[in-house]
Amino acid sequence: MKIEFTPEQLKYKEEFRIFVDTVIIPEADRNDRDEHMCTEIYKKMSEKGYMGSMIPRRYGGLEMDMITLGLLNEEFGRGCSSARSLLTVHGMVALAINKWCVQEQKDYWLPKMASGKVIGAFGLTEPNVGSDAKSVETTAVLDGDYYILNGRKKWITMGQIADLFLIFARCEDKLTAFLVERKSPGFSTKPINGLMGARASMIAEVIMENCRIPKENIVGAVGTGLSHVAMSSLDYGRYTVACGCVGLAQACLVESLRYARKRRQFGQALRKNQLIQKIITEMVVNIEAARLLCLNAGYLKEIGDPDSIMAIWNAKYFASKMAVQVASDAVQIHGANGCCRDYPVERYYRDAKINEIIEGTTQMHEVMIATNAFRSYV
Amino acid sequence: MEEKIIKIKAFLAKFFRKHELQEDEDIFALGFVNSLFAMQLVMFLEKEFGIVIDNKDLDLNNFRTIKAIVAFVDHKLNLAS
């Protein structure tokens, strides 16, 4: 077994690092404070081709391999969880189109998404439906050449700015996926403010009141919305969230190292304190463990191995819990300073917790991982 | 044909451990499958047999029995060649 990046992956890794250091990080605090992602961010992401990072080259994307996509999301996670979430949901929609739409839809949407002219958002969660995705209440009824959608979606990342929504609705009483354009009649969004973390994710509530879309906008087939479309999108989403957590925790570690080197108490630098050293050690080892879980999952996903699905559940579970712990420890090392927004660990701590909720809560991961263990190991 | 059946049976055995699945037995009627299974089955078939499953293939009857899966894989391979 050999774990080694290719020269191309290493080149990308350095490119991502520079981009995040020079474009993402300088705006991250302001975006968090304003609860708004400045347009310059996604304009520059588009210019670099990152909005098409996961889209095949034939549609104008960069068609990065899964390891490179993991590195991209790790670096974005290091800089700004909200910017990483843009990559995540946009990719979830693009990959659903690439896998489950008819060729005409692919030809129409994917070049626009690859260039960043169209931003995608994923619409599964509802006011009354979170983990229990099978119970979606939004409905879709075929009416001649159109589907008529009625219902509400909540906590939709990038919902304020997205042009194209992947909406899950009950059709013939079966969960089904649809592409819904913002300009569709009967479609509107309402910004949601006051979030704890990832505050520049442009979260919105989506309202569909007799929203009319062409019948060709169905994704997959009636009844395959959860089993095929949502599951494959969420698989990618989980992978990118897990990688983003590694980056976020890495940022916590670096800030903690800097602070512990500079800050003096009891006549010496914090770094000399063995209790601080213990915290740092646990950060280092847990970050590396999460990174290896992500690399393993990314490799399996790249080669199309069905075991990649559980590997991604494992990676996301561990990485999101790890990020919360590491961020908490980073605040602890910073003491009162860590509780103030003058220090980035305050934002990291708030951002970290969100990762235990999105793309499947920690508890849903525990159900899935344990169920799989009972099925697989004895 | 026989080789395909062995491979498919071996994959499905992970989900139907205490049940000897027959070639014409309705997988969905047994009640063991969930949405995770559907995705794993798609990935398995794509990787094992080098086919691409897309929206036109999303008919449950293609995946209902081992025999149906083999017929579906053969059909996809014929289309590709």
Side-chain angles (χ1 to χ4, degrees):
Chain A
M1 185 174 185
K2 189 173 169 185
I3 300 177
E4 190 178 60
F5 293 126
T6 65
E8 195 183 18
Q9 287 165 345
L10 285 171
K11 203 174 127 208
Y12 266 129
K13 191 172 190 286
E14 179 62 6
E15 180 193 304
F16 302 154
R17 186 190 65 74
I18 292 168
F19 183 84
V20 167
D21 283 347
T22 56
V23 176
I24 302 294
I25 290 178
E27 301 293 337
D29 274 336
R30 187 161 62 93
N31 287 342
D32 175 72
R33 228 167 281 180
D34 295 349
E35 298 190 53
H36 186 272
M37 187 176 293
C38 62
T39 50
E40 200 62 19
I41 295 271
Y42 41 89
K43 196 174 149 210
K44 286 183 177 166
M45 285 168 68
S46 301
E47 284 167 6
K48 290 295 279 184
Y50 296 157
M51 298 298 280
S53 54
M54 70 305 288
I55 295 174
R57 286 183 187 277
R58 62 184 289 207
Y59 301 112
L62 293 176
E63 199 175 339
M64 289 174 182
D65 65 85
M66 279 297 153
I67 297 294
T68 306
L69 284 168
L71 294 173
L72 176 67
N73 282 277
E74 180 181 331
E75 281 302 315
F76 268 67
R78 182 176 65 82
C80 172
S81 292
S82 299
R84 196 272 310 139
S85 73
L86 169 58
L87 280 178
T88 294
V89 296
H90 182 76
M92 288 165 75
V93 178
L95 291 176
I97 294 172
N98 187 49
K99 180 68 183 164
W100 300 118
C101 277
V102 295
Q103 193 59 49
E104 291 75 18
Q105 296 277 23
K106 295 181 197 183
D107 291 340
Y108 184 78
W109 289 115
L110 292 178
K112 293 178 175 64
M113 295 187 80
S115 67
K117 284 182 186 139
V118 163
I119 293 174
F122 185 80
L124 177 60
T125 306
E126 298 184 349
N128 297 322
V129 178
S131 297
D132 185 13
K134 280 181 186 157
S135 299
V136 158
E137 292 172 348
T138 298
T139 58
V141 177
L142 188 62
D143 178 21
D145 291 337
Y146 296 89
Y147 279 104
I148 310 296
L149 275 66
N150 278 289
R152 281 171 180 259
K153 298 290 173 181
K154 202 169 180 187
W155 313 118
I156 305 307
T157 299
M158 298 299 150
Q160 295 177 37
I161 57 167
D163 309 282
L164 184 65
F165 294 74
L166 183 61
I167 295 289
F168 295 85
R170 194 162 290 288
C171 180
E172 299 170 26
D173 206 31
K174 297 172 201 157
L175 205 60
T176 308
F178 299 91
L179 288 177
V180 183
E181 288 186 68
R182 176 179 290 279
K183 65 181 184 188
S184 305
F187 183 93
S188 61
T189 59
K190 199 167 103 186
I192 300 175
N193 294 313
L195 290 167
M196 179 174 76
R199 287 158 55 96
S201 297
M202 309 300 280
I203 304 270
E205 186 166 1
V206 169
I207 300 134
M208 289 159 288
E209 292 171 328
N210 291 320
C211 175
R212 181 177 288 267
I213 59 167
K215 69 175 181 184
E216 292 76 21
N217 283 21
I218 190 169
V219 181
V222 171
T224 62
L226 186 61
S227 58
H228 294 78
V229 184
M231 278 294 165
S232 55
S233 287
L234 287 166
D235 188 61
Y236 175 79
R238 259 178 225 116
Y239 175 60
T240 59
V241 170
C243 296
C245 286
V246 174
L248 172 57
Q250 183 72 29
C252 291
L253 171 63
V254 168
E255 288 301 320
S256 298
L257 292 171
R258 281 195 188 121
Y259 190 83
R261 192 189 290 274
K262 202 173 67 179
R263 174 80 169 172
R264 293 181 70 81
Q265 291 291 287
F266 302 108
Q268 61 179 3
L270 282 188
R271 68 185 290 265
K272 300 284 185 189
N273 185 312
Q274 290 184 333
L275 290 175
I276 298 293
Q277 289 171 8
K278 178 183 188 297
I279 296 174
I280 295 290
T281 300
E282 288 186 352
M283 284 181 169
V284 168
V285 175
N286 282 315
I287 292 168
E288 194 57 25
R291 186 176 280 121
L292 287 170
L293 282 173
C294 288
L295 287 171
N296 176 58
Y299 169 74
L300 291 173
K301 191 164 172 62
E302 179 63 22
I303 63 168
D305 192 317
D307 287 343
S308 66
I309 299 169
M310 285 317 302
I312 288 173
W313 280 90
N314 293 346
K316 197 273 185 178
Y317 175 70
F318 186 84
S320 59
K321 278 165 56 90
M322 176 280 296
V324 171
Q325 184 61 53
V326 167
S328 172
D329 288 342
V331 170
Q332 197 68 23
I333 288 174
H334 281 70
N337 285 327
C339 301
C340 171
R341 68 184 186 191
D342 290 346
Y343 287 80
V345 293
E346 182 268 345
R347 171 168 58 88
Y348 298 156
Y349 182 59
R350 289 185 287 102
D351 285 349
K353 185 62 191 171
I354 307 301
N355 294 295
E356 274 202 278
I357 313 283
I358 56 175
E359 269 72 10
T361 61
T362 290
Q363 288 66 36
M364 288 309 295
H365 279 70
E366 285 162 350
V367 169
M368 294 295 289
I369 292 167
T371 303
N372 184 63
F374 279 112
R375 198 189 68 202
S376 308
Y377 299 151
V378 285
Chain B
M1 170 74 93
E2 195 56 37
E3 194 187 342
K4 287 193 193 95
I5 289 173
I6 291 168
K7 285 178 178 173
I8 292 167
K9 267 192 171 174
F11 171 75
L12 293 175
K14 288 194 276 185
F15 299 87
F16 303 92
R17 296 180 61 208
K18 290 177 181 166
H19 181 83
E20 178 69 28
L21 199 61
Q22 302 304 305
E23 287 173 28
D24 53 0
E25 198 168 6
D26 188 335
I27 292 169
F28 303 118
L30 292 171
F32 297 148
V33 299
N34 55 21
S35 49
L36 181 65
F37 167 79
M39 194 179 154
Q40 284 180 314
L41 179 61
V42 167
M43 289 187 83
F44 163 73
L45 295 174
E46 289 189 332
K47 182 173 164 57
E48 191 62 49
F49 301 109
I51 59 174
V52 176
I53 296 172
D54 60 27
N55 66 311
K56 294 185 292 296
D57 306 315
L58 289 178
D59 179 351
L60 280 188
N61 291 325
N62 286 332
F63 310 102
R64 195 169 289 284
T65 65
I66 292 173
K67 268 188 184 166
I69 294 172
V70 171
F72 168 71
V73 170
D74 285 340
H75 170 67
K76 293 293 286 187
L77 290 172
N78 284 338
L79 281 180
S81 63

